[in-house]
Amino acid sequence: MSGFFHKTLTKRLSAVFFVIFSVWWGLFLTSPPAPKPVDAPEAEFSAERAYTHVQSIAEAPHMLGTAEHDSVRRYILRELRNLGLKPRVETGISLVTFRGYHAARTQNIIARLEGADSDRTILLMAHYDSVPYAPGAADDAAGVAAILEVLRAIRAGEPLHHDLLVLLTDGEELGLMGARHFAENSPLLDEVDLVLNLEARGSSGSSIMFETNSGNANLIPQFAESTGNAVANSLTYAVYKILPNDTDFTVFKPCDLQGLNYGFIDDYLDYHTMQDNPANLSLPSLQHHGENILDNVRYFGNRSGKLTADSDLVYFNGPFGGIIYYPESWTPLLVSMTLLLFAIFLVIAHQRFWISLRGVMIGFAAYFGIIIVAAGITWFGWSFIREVLRPEYHWLRQGETYASRWYLWFFITLVSVLAIPWLKWIQSKTGIINLIAGIFTTWTVLLLGTAYLLPAAHYLLLWPLFFGIVGLLLSGEEIHTGEWSWRTLLILAFCLFIPLFLFPFYITLVQVALTTRMVAASILLYMLLFGMLWPLLELINGKQDKQIYAMLAGALILLFTGATLNDGYTPAQKKQNSLVFFSNLDTGKNYWVSTNRSTDDWTAHFLGESPGDTTMPEVPVFQNRPLLFNPAPDAALKAPKIELLAQEIEDSIRTVTLRFSYDLPAQAVTIDFSDDLQVWKASLEGKTIFNAHDPLDEQPEILNRVTYFRDFRSPFVMSLTYRNRSSSPEIRVTSYHTDFPDILMNRYPERPSHTMPAPSPFTTGRIWTRSLEFENLARE
């Protein structure tokens, strides 16, 4: 063992402690705060106080149009009145283009907390509806509860200077319906200066400020100053802009409004499932939500600084707390400075005979190659686990597993086992400085690509590379000769603190955001960190190869065993499955249908041991997916009653007004128009939803389908103006409900406690369909 460092256990342990502390510190600074109790000071946010609202709101699934949804709305209105506000409900029909048209009758809740001066208005927003099968504790009862608790805390403290407008939207889960209706119809939009939105895509984790609007150069400094425990970075903002994901805040971005969009995303398998319940909601996440918003409301509610700008900032969490930010326009300069510094290092290293061109190129090829190999092994390794070893993972729609963190550490350990001997062998052939220079060359190439494609995300590569080059310039001679000293260790510790602080948060964030299906992306980040740390790892490792490999091999076995033991389906970690009772009222045939690949112990009672395979293109929600099916008993379902209220005929143009009424409850209805029905104009409950002569915004080219969500306990009216292409145009009405027919279920066993409906709309419950010709409507 050469060198003083390798002879000194104290130095090696100090290096290990430094690595552990740096990683812990980075994760600690980006973690949510401890929840405050119910007896916290009145002017502070208390997660335990807010949690009582979550329990009331998320008692059951409350999809738009259901009785539970009405109950939640009444509760929120009552709580707002108890706070001394005068809430009102704004009702209207909103539209979104999605496989035809989706329409919903939304009921937004609006309230105002007046300030001393109304020259600025802050819009505080969350949505109060849930998806069909989830109580919605995190998504988005946590947001609503946080707003109620923030309002209480504001009322208990100093009054705001500006107005605070509260918008609790309806129909977010159906396509941002309530937010769309507010943005398109409410005169209040004109007075809004800043939007604060709360969301969730999981049940735990830090409340991350993941999105602003473009032109955030004035907003980010004020956000950084106002938010005491901020977790934010411009990488999530840059990536979110190119992803097909939306929240209510998306609706307001074209309105040139600035805003701060918050969300937490850990425990993704709770998202949109019955596991999104109050018991699974993280109180630290709720505390983080509330503290962020309360800080923002108090700051922006009392300041009048400019919010919009013509440029963006790069921003990220700093190593000593708070947010570091600087103009995105500095990117070319900072990248050029780093390239110049690297060029200086290469010249000095070449002059001192530390490196050669051939050695650097070998180091570059070896490191770049092991990155690709590590990502490939992770990709195919996870595919092998999912497809061959654990095919039961396919029951989970999100592409995730309950043992996700175990698998992340498993693959980190696996690629480390591969990378260490490979890089040590290359180092023995080229020398350590050649290898490090090759590693830094790889980082430089990736930095250039990132700066060009995602300039707001360049900081993640630039600052670790910059300080890494500085460290190499200051300690290169000792690293080259192997004469390690305390000075070398301190230099490396100082210069490698930044990547150790930054990268672990992003490694875990990427896996949570993209799921274990894309864990290879996290491994790419890990391998970048691994390469940057190579000098320090070499100091720690020395020549203890056998001991290191034995430890890593043991860790691999333990991690895979841990994943296997923690990914089973239990009442706390439920299995997702699909089962639908489908009734075709035209043919009189009834089926049990499932979107799963196979049956399980419960669905086999309905589908049989050998169900048939089919597709049902006539049912929009199935989207031509392969289905399992088996004949089912009759449940005496009835189609809605359709009455012809009025009819006008002029030449070949006909206008009809239809009234739809349900005896049997439904939660959504899809109306399909036959190909020979050329619709020129359509209205739904008096609102024009299609006009061929005067097209609406985002209107489809033709109207062939409308899916409508509302409370169908009362009738609704639709008017159509069309040109007949045949004498008997048809419509098909498909109705949906998330419950099974009661008259059938006593014949079958109850759903086991370790299973739950799959998190897709109407993959569990009942669906019934009926086609009819227009000429028969008067006789229906």
Side-chain angles (χ1 to χ4, degrees), residues 10-26:
T10 303
K11 292 179 182 176
R12 296 176 66 189
L13 292 177
S14 297
V16 171
F17 174 79
F18 162 73
V19 171
I20 294 173
F21 171 79
S22 300
V23 171
W24 171 83
W25 182 246

PDB file of all heavy atoms in Angstrom, residues 10-26:
ATOM      1  N   THR A  10      -7.120   6.703   9.753  1.00  0.00           N
ATOM      2  CA  THR A  10      -7.842   7.914  10.137  1.00  0.00           C
ATOM      3  C   THR A  10      -8.243   8.734   8.924  1.00  0.00           C
ATOM      4  O   THR A  10      -9.364   9.240   8.828  1.00  0.00           O
ATOM      5  CB  THR A  10      -6.990   8.777  11.077  1.00  0.00           C
ATOM      6  OG1 THR A  10      -6.619   7.999  12.219  1.00  0.00           O
ATOM      7  CG2 THR A  10      -7.751  10.017  11.526  1.00  0.00           C
ATOM      8  N   LYS A  11      -7.310   8.858   7.978  1.00  0.00           N
ATOM      9  CA  LYS A  11      -7.614   9.651   6.792  1.00  0.00           C
ATOM     10  C   LYS A  11      -8.679   8.974   5.939  1.00  0.00           C
ATOM     11  O   LYS A  11      -9.568   9.637   5.402  1.00  0.00           O
ATOM     12  CB  LYS A  11      -6.343   9.874   5.973  1.00  0.00           C
ATOM     13  CG  LYS A  11      -5.327  10.764   6.651  1.00  0.00           C
ATOM     14  CD  LYS A  11      -4.087  10.916   5.790  1.00  0.00           C
ATOM     15  CE  LYS A  11      -3.045  11.776   6.498  1.00  0.00           C
ATOM     16  NZ  LYS A  11      -1.798  11.875   5.727  1.00  0.00           N
ATOM     17  N   ARG A  12      -8.589   7.682   5.823  1.00  0.00           N
ATOM     18  CA  ARG A  12      -9.588   6.967   5.020  1.00  0.00           C
ATOM     19  C   ARG A  12     -10.970   7.081   5.652  1.00  0.00           C
ATOM     20  O   ARG A  12     -11.964   7.308   4.959  1.00  0.00           O
ATOM     21  CB  ARG A  12      -9.179   5.509   4.861  1.00  0.00           C
ATOM     22  CG  ARG A  12      -7.880   5.321   4.085  1.00  0.00           C
ATOM     23  CD  ARG A  12      -7.454   3.887   4.040  1.00  0.00           C
ATOM     24  NE  ARG A  12      -8.405   3.073   3.274  1.00  0.00           N
ATOM     25  CZ  ARG A  12      -8.357   1.748   3.216  1.00  0.00           C
ATOM     26  NH1 ARG A  12      -7.435   1.082   3.900  1.00  0.00           N
ATOM     27  NH2 ARG A  12      -9.241   1.094   2.493  1.00  0.00           N
ATOM     28  N   LEU A  13     -11.029   6.925   6.971  1.00  0.00           N
ATOM     29  CA  LEU A  13     -12.315   7.068   7.655  1.00  0.00           C
ATOM     30  C   LEU A  13     -12.841   8.498   7.565  1.00  0.00           C
ATOM     31  O   LEU A  13     -14.046   8.722   7.446  1.00  0.00           O
ATOM     32  CB  LEU A  13     -12.174   6.647   9.117  1.00  0.00           C
ATOM     33  CG  LEU A  13     -11.918   5.157   9.370  1.00  0.00           C
ATOM     34  CD1 LEU A  13     -11.719   4.899  10.857  1.00  0.00           C
ATOM     35  CD2 LEU A  13     -13.079   4.323   8.835  1.00  0.00           C
ATOM     36  N   SER A  14     -11.923   9.468   7.598  1.00  0.00           N
ATOM     37  CA  SER A  14     -12.332  10.869   7.459  1.00  0.00           C
ATOM     38  C   SER A  14     -12.944  11.106   6.088  1.00  0.00           C
ATOM     39  O   SER A  14     -13.952  11.826   5.952  1.00  0.00           O
ATOM     40  CB  SER A  14     -11.132  11.804   7.662  1.00  0.00           C
ATOM     41  OG  SER A  14     -10.615  11.672   8.966  1.00  0.00           O
ATOM     42  N   ALA A  15     -12.340  10.505   5.057  1.00  0.00           N
ATOM     43  CA  ALA A  15     -12.875  10.651   3.705  1.00  0.00           C
ATOM     44  C   ALA A  15     -14.258  10.010   3.600  1.00  0.00           C
ATOM     45  O   ALA A  15     -15.168  10.572   2.978  1.00  0.00           O
ATOM     46  CB  ALA A  15     -11.919  10.041   2.688  1.00  0.00           C
ATOM     47  N   VAL A  16     -14.423   8.832   4.200  1.00  0.00           N
ATOM     48  CA  VAL A  16     -15.726   8.169   4.181  1.00  0.00           C
ATOM     49  C   VAL A  16     -16.762   9.018   4.907  1.00  0.00           C
ATOM     50  O   VAL A  16     -17.894   9.202   4.425  1.00  0.00           O
ATOM     51  CB  VAL A  16     -15.621   6.769   4.823  1.00  0.00           C
ATOM     52  CG1 VAL A  16     -17.009   6.161   4.999  1.00  0.00           C
ATOM     53  CG2 VAL A  16     -14.751   5.856   3.968  1.00  0.00           C
ATOM     54  N   PHE A  17     -16.395   9.551   6.055  1.00  0.00           N
ATOM     55  CA  PHE A  17     -17.306  10.390   6.812  1.00  0.00           C
ATOM     56  C   PHE A  17     -17.693  11.628   6.002  1.00  0.00           C
ATOM     57  O   PHE A  17     -18.866  12.047   5.993  1.00  0.00           O
ATOM     58  CB  PHE A  17     -16.673  10.825   8.137  1.00  0.00           C
ATOM     59  CG  PHE A  17     -17.504  11.824   8.902  1.00  0.00           C
ATOM     60  CD1 PHE A  17     -18.603  11.414   9.641  1.00  0.00           C
ATOM     61  CD2 PHE A  17     -17.186  13.179   8.869  1.00  0.00           C
ATOM     62  CE1 PHE A  17     -19.379  12.339  10.334  1.00  0.00           C
ATOM     63  CE2 PHE A  17     -17.951  14.102   9.564  1.00  0.00           C
ATOM     64  CZ  PHE A  17     -19.050  13.681  10.293  1.00  0.00           C
ATOM     65  N   PHE A  18     -16.721  12.215   5.300  1.00  0.00           N
ATOM     66  CA  PHE A  18     -16.999  13.393   4.488  1.00  0.00           C
ATOM     67  C   PHE A  18     -18.021  13.079   3.399  1.00  0.00           C
ATOM     68  O   PHE A  18     -18.945  13.852   3.165  1.00  0.00           O
ATOM     69  CB  PHE A  18     -15.705  13.907   3.867  1.00  0.00           C
ATOM     70  CG  PHE A  18     -15.929  14.822   2.697  1.00  0.00           C
ATOM     71  CD1 PHE A  18     -16.386  16.110   2.885  1.00  0.00           C
ATOM     72  CD2 PHE A  18     -15.702  14.379   1.394  1.00  0.00           C
ATOM     73  CE1 PHE A  18     -16.617  16.948   1.808  1.00  0.00           C
ATOM     74  CE2 PHE A  18     -15.924  15.200   0.322  1.00  0.00           C
ATOM     75  CZ  PHE A  18     -16.380  16.500   0.526  1.00  0.00           C
ATOM     76  N   VAL A  19     -17.869  11.943   2.730  1.00  0.00           N
ATOM     77  CA  VAL A  19     -18.811  11.556   1.678  1.00  0.00           C
ATOM     78  C   VAL A  19     -20.210  11.385   2.270  1.00  0.00           C
ATOM     79  O   VAL A  19     -21.203  11.908   1.731  1.00  0.00           O
ATOM     80  CB  VAL A  19     -18.353  10.270   0.972  1.00  0.00           C
ATOM     81  CG1 VAL A  19     -19.440   9.747   0.039  1.00  0.00           C
ATOM     82  CG2 VAL A  19     -17.065  10.518   0.199  1.00  0.00           C
ATOM     83  N   ILE A  20     -20.304  10.657   3.367  1.00  0.00           N
ATOM     84  CA  ILE A  20     -21.605  10.402   3.990  1.00  0.00           C
ATOM     85  C   ILE A  20     -22.247  11.706   4.442  1.00  0.00           C
ATOM     86  O   ILE A  20     -23.443  11.955   4.205  1.00  0.00           O
ATOM     87  CB  ILE A  20     -21.457   9.434   5.171  1.00  0.00           C
ATOM     88  CG1 ILE A  20     -21.014   8.054   4.667  1.00  0.00           C
ATOM     89  CG2 ILE A  20     -22.758   9.327   5.955  1.00  0.00           C
ATOM     90  CD1 ILE A  20     -20.686   7.084   5.769  1.00  0.00           C
ATOM     91  N   PHE A  21     -21.450  12.569   5.081  1.00  0.00           N
ATOM     92  CA  PHE A  21     -21.998  13.834   5.567  1.00  0.00           C
ATOM     93  C   PHE A  21     -22.475  14.711   4.427  1.00  0.00           C
ATOM     94  O   PHE A  21     -23.552  15.318   4.500  1.00  0.00           O
ATOM     95  CB  PHE A  21     -20.951  14.596   6.387  1.00  0.00           C
ATOM     96  CG  PHE A  21     -21.380  15.993   6.742  1.00  0.00           C
ATOM     97  CD1 PHE A  21     -22.259  16.210   7.797  1.00  0.00           C
ATOM     98  CD2 PHE A  21     -20.939  17.089   6.004  1.00  0.00           C
ATOM     99  CE1 PHE A  21     -22.686  17.501   8.122  1.00  0.00           C
ATOM    100  CE2 PHE A  21     -21.366  18.375   6.319  1.00  0.00           C
ATOM    101  CZ  PHE A  21     -22.241  18.573   7.372  1.00  0.00           C
ATOM    102  N   SER A  22     -21.702  14.800   3.344  1.00  0.00           N
ATOM    103  CA  SER A  22     -22.062  15.671   2.219  1.00  0.00           C
ATOM    104  C   SER A  22     -23.375  15.215   1.583  1.00  0.00           C
ATOM    105  O   SER A  22     -24.245  16.033   1.250  1.00  0.00           O
ATOM    106  CB  SER A  22     -20.951  15.682   1.175  1.00  0.00           C
ATOM    107  OG  SER A  22     -19.742  16.155   1.723  1.00  0.00           O
ATOM    108  N   VAL A  23     -23.518  13.900   1.400  1.00  0.00           N
ATOM    109  CA  VAL A  23     -24.746  13.358   0.828  1.00  0.00           C
ATOM    110  C   VAL A  23     -25.918  13.632   1.771  1.00  0.00           C
ATOM    111  O   VAL A  23     -26.991  14.081   1.345  1.00  0.00           O
ATOM    112  CB  VAL A  23     -24.606  11.857   0.558  1.00  0.00           C
ATOM    113  CG1 VAL A  23     -25.948  11.244   0.168  1.00  0.00           C
ATOM    114  CG2 VAL A  23     -23.572  11.613  -0.542  1.00  0.00           C
ATOM    115  N   TRP A  24     -25.699  13.352   3.048  1.00  0.00           N
ATOM    116  CA  TRP A  24     -26.774  13.590   4.032  1.00  0.00           C
ATOM    117  C   TRP A  24     -27.164  15.060   4.063  1.00  0.00           C
ATOM    118  O   TRP A  24     -28.362  15.382   4.099  1.00  0.00           O
ATOM    119  CB  TRP A  24     -26.315  13.158   5.421  1.00  0.00           C
ATOM    120  CG  TRP A  24     -27.275  13.581   6.501  1.00  0.00           C
ATOM    121  CD1 TRP A  24     -28.415  12.934   6.881  1.00  0.00           C
ATOM    122  CD2 TRP A  24     -27.188  14.772   7.301  1.00  0.00           C
ATOM    123  NE1 TRP A  24     -29.050  13.650   7.876  1.00  0.00           N
ATOM    124  CE2 TRP A  24     -28.323  14.776   8.155  1.00  0.00           C
ATOM    125  CE3 TRP A  24     -26.275  15.819   7.383  1.00  0.00           C
ATOM    126  CZ2 TRP A  24     -28.544  15.792   9.076  1.00  0.00           C
ATOM    127  CZ3 TRP A  24     -26.504  16.836   8.297  1.00  0.00           C
ATOM    128  CH2 TRP A  24     -27.629  16.816   9.132  1.00  0.00           C
ATOM    129  N   TRP A  25     -26.191  15.947   4.030  1.00  0.00           N
ATOM    130  CA  TRP A  25     -26.479  17.372   4.114  1.00  0.00           C
ATOM    131  C   TRP A  25     -27.320  17.836   2.920  1.00  0.00           C
ATOM    132  O   TRP A  25     -28.275  18.593   3.079  1.00  0.00           O
ATOM    133  CB  TRP A  25     -25.178  18.165   4.183  1.00  0.00           C
ATOM    134  CG  TRP A  25     -25.360  19.648   4.314  1.00  0.00           C
ATOM    135  CD1 TRP A  25     -25.024  20.603   3.395  1.00  0.00           C
ATOM    136  CD2 TRP A  25     -25.895  20.351   5.432  1.00  0.00           C
ATOM    137  NE1 TRP A  25     -25.329  21.854   3.858  1.00  0.00           N
ATOM    138  CE2 TRP A  25     -25.867  21.734   5.122  1.00  0.00           C
ATOM    139  CE3 TRP A  25     -26.416  19.947   6.660  1.00  0.00           C
ATOM    140  CZ2 TRP A  25     -26.330  22.705   5.995  1.00  0.00           C
ATOM    141  CZ3 TRP A  25     -26.875  20.920   7.539  1.00  0.00           C
ATOM    142  CH2 TRP A  25     -26.827  22.279   7.205  1.00  0.00           C
ATOM    143  N   GLY A  26     -26.981  17.360   1.719  1.00  0.00           N
ATOM    144  CA  GLY A  26     -27.755  17.726   0.541  1.00  0.00           C
ATOM    145  C   GLY A  26     -29.184  17.238   0.627  1.00  0.00           C
ATOM    146  O   GLY A  26     -30.133  17.959   0.268  1.00  0.00           O
TER     147      GLY A  26
END
